[in-house]
Amino acid sequence: MQINGVIVTLPKEIKLLIGIFIVVLSIGFYTGLLFVGETSSANPNGIEEQYLGNEHDEDVEVMRFKKSEQEMLRLVHNHVLSMAIIFFLLGVLVAITKLPNKFKLFLMVEPFFSVVFTFGGLYLLWNGMLWMKYIVMISGILMTLTFTLSVFIVLYQLFQKKPV
């Protein structure tokens, strides 16, 4: 079964449904990024402080305490499950776009690795592997870039005219 480029041949009602889904999904995704920016200053030291606390520094504006194991397990569990569903659904949509196969495969598979490295890395950081804050930052950036590129490709191809 050939699925490369099927997205442009879908009925307009399905295209509208997919388009609305992608927009709402993106609002949720980018709102989460705003939250990350607010809580961790979007830098490696801010990430470390968010999960390991800063109570040793008396001059901080906002006092943070080390997350409990229950909080960390809940965070990892919730994010891995929800991101797996998000990237599976987005991957299915990328699968029906018209792209070179290797590039398409990268967009479909990479986010799953980034999810594991990002949220597994947060847990390892919390357990004392302080260098994981850099892995978390890099994998989070890569996950965001992949998400953004996939969304743009799906939306662009979604509203192309059907070939005659």
Side-chain angles (χ1 to χ4, degrees):
M1 178 177 174
Q2 177 65 15
I3 62 171
N4 195 38
V6 167
I7 197 165
V8 297
T9 66
L10 294 173
K12 65 181 176 182
E13 298 84 3
I14 300 298
K15 286 182 171 185
L16 180 61
L17 176 65
I18 292 170
I20 291 170
F21 169 73
I22 291 291
V23 168
V24 172
L25 183 68
S26 296
I27 290 169
F29 188 87
Y30 293 115
T31 302
L33 287 179
L34 288 173
F35 179 75
V36 167
E38 286 293 318
T39 59
S40 70
S41 305
N43 67 59
N45 292 331
I47 293 168
E48 180 180 338
E49 189 177 274
Q50 175 65 19
Y51 297 98
L52 296 179
N54 63 4
E55 62 265 18
H56 59 277
D57 186 354
E58 295 177 9
D59 297 327
V60 293
E61 289 182 32
V62 177
M63 185 70 71
R64 292 191 172 103
F65 298 94
K66 184 176 181 177
K67 302 276 187 247
S68 69
E69 185 166 18
Q70 184 181 19
E71 288 175 300
M72 288 305 297
L73 290 173
R74 183 181 310 120
L75 177 129
V76 172
H77 167 80
N78 289 344
H79 280 83
V80 169
L81 286 178
S82 61
M83 297 293 243
I85 293 167
I86 287 168
F87 285 114
F88 174 78
L89 292 172
L90 187 55
V92 168
L93 296 174
V94 168
I96 62 174
T97 62
K98 186 173 176 68
L99 292 172
N101 285 335
K102 287 184 181 182
F103 182 57
K104 184 187 293 192
L105 185 61
F106 173 79
L107 291 176
M108 292 166 51
V109 173
E110 187 289 324
F112 294 101
F113 289 103
S114 283
V115 166
V116 170
F117 283 117
T118 301
F119 296 101
L122 286 175
Y123 189 78
L124 293 173
L125 169 67
W126 178 82
N127 269 318
M129 295 177 70
L130 300 182
W131 58 271
M132 286 303 294
K133 62 188 171 187
Y134 300 106
I135 302 298
V136 168
M137 186 110 198
I138 292 166
S139 61
I141 289 169
L142 189 56
M143 180 182 5
T144 301
L145 291 174
T146 305
F147 178 87
T148 302
L149 188 55
S150 295
V151 163
F152 278 125
I153 289 167
V154 169
L155 287 175
Y156 177 77
Q157 291 191 18
L158 195 61
F159 296 106
Q160 286 184 326
K161 300 285 185 208
K162 286 184 185 180
V164 179

